[in-house]
């Protein structure tokens, strides 16, 4: 099988015991497959190489790559572009102990966008990649939390404008998201 003919298979069942996507049998073996592929086009096209787990069905001889191979291929692209991989992005967020919703609220990133980066559906651009790297620094995150708290208070009625709460809970951040500034009529 030529490397670029290799079929990627989306099969959730593969997570609990591998099953052939063609015949359903479970006698699946795995071997390392040196995969070469082109990324980009024109002057920026690059040939990338990565070792992928190639599955083979003992019953029908089908050879295929599953989500694991797809993930490794995506990681090779991220390494080539010198940007954080999906696992690294998720790692930054998790090391801060934040859900995607809270992380999105504090950083100003879109939750859906963050989801796509963490799942490898889209690669973040260079500016966002650098922003994400800064977010791994606790002092940067503390500044952003303070800013989010401050902006949250600005959107409350003037009578409640007191700067007494320094720490802000995840629930509070989400509830503040619903406030909007409106022009006085
Ligand atoms: Zn099979």
């Amino acid at each position: 099988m030529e490397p670029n003919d290799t079929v990627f298979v989306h099969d959730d069942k593969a997570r609990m015991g591998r099953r052939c996507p063609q015949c359903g049998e479970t006698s699946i073996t795995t071997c390392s497959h040196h995969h070469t592929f082109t990324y980009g086009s024109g002057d920026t096209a690059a040939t990338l190489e990565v070792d992928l787990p190639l599955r083979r069905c003992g019953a029908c001889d089908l050879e295929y790559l599953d989500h694991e191979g797809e993930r490794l291929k995506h990681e090779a692209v991220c390494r080539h572009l010198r940007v954080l991989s999906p696992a690294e992005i998720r790692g930054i967020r998790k090391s801060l102990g934040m859900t995607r919703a809270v992380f999105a609220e504090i950083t100003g990133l879109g939750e859906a966008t963050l989801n796509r980066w963490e799942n490898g559906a889209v690669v973040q651009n260079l500016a966002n990649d650098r922003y994400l790297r800064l977010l791994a620094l606790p002092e940067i995150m503390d500044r952003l939390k303070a800013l989010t708290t401050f902006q949250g208070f600005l959107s409350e009625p003037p009578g409640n404008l007191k700067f007494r709460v320094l720490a802000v809970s995840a629930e509070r951040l989400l509830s503040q998201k619903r406030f909007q500034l409106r022009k006085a009529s």
Side-chain angles (χ1 to χ4, degrees):
M1 181 182 275
E2 288 298 310
N4 292 331
D5 291 343
T6 313
V7 187
F8 275 104
V9 174
H10 295 271
D11 183 8
D12 285 341
K13 285 183 214 148
R15 290 164 203 258
M16 318 77 88
R18 293 195 181 91
R19 196 173 277 277
C20 173
Q22 184 164 267
C23 73
E25 287 297 318
T26 53
S27 55
I28 308 294
T29 54
T30 301
C31 64
S32 181
H33 169 65
H34 192 73
H35 185 66
T36 306
F37 64 103
T38 304
Y39 179 80
S41 57
D43 290 345
T44 59
T47 301
L48 306 185
E49 295 182 44
V50 62
D51 288 322
L52 301 178
L54 184 66
R55 318 287 185 207
R56 176 195 281 269
C57 172
C60 75
D61 284 341
L62 176 74
E63 287 185 333
Y64 64 97
L65 289 165
D66 56 18
H67 62 276
E68 174 76 6
E70 217 169 344
R71 182 181 65 78
L72 291 168
K73 215 177 143 180
H74 187 81
E75 280 185 2
V77 170
C78 291
R79 272 199 304 279
H80 164 67
L81 296 173
R82 295 182 184 165
V83 298
L84 294 166
S85 71
E88 288 171 324
I89 296 173
R90 191 180 297 114
I92 289 172
R93 176 175 63 75
K94 295 233 163 156
S95 71
L96 294 160
M98 291 178 186
T99 62
R100 278 198 198 116
V102 172
F103 190 81
E105 177 63 29
I106 292 173
T107 61
L109 295 166
E111 192 179 341
T113 302
L114 187 62
N115 195 22
R116 286 193 281 271
W117 294 341
E118 287 191 6
N119 287 306
V122 174
V123 178
Q124 66 280 9
N125 66 23
L126 204 56
N128 280 320
D129 189 73
R130 289 183 177 166
Y131 182 41
L132 287 167
R133 287 170 197 269
L134 289 176
L135 294 172
L137 306 172
E139 61 269 34
I140 298 287
M141 191 45 83
D142 287 346
R143 288 263 190 127
L144 286 181
K145 278 184 197 165
L147 187 64
T148 310
T149 308
F150 180 70
Q151 289 178 335
F153 272 108
L154 284 185
S155 58
E156 286 189 2
N160 293 333
L161 196 61
K162 292 173 190 163
F163 298 93
R164 58 194 153 79
V165 181
L166 295 177
V168 72
S169 70
E171 292 72 27
R172 183 167 177 83
L173 284 175
L174 283 175
S175 72
Q176 283 170 351
K177 199 175 184 180
R178 296 190 204 105
F179 281 98
Q180 282 188 338
L181 283 175
R182 289 201 183 81
K183 267 186 203 167
S185 52

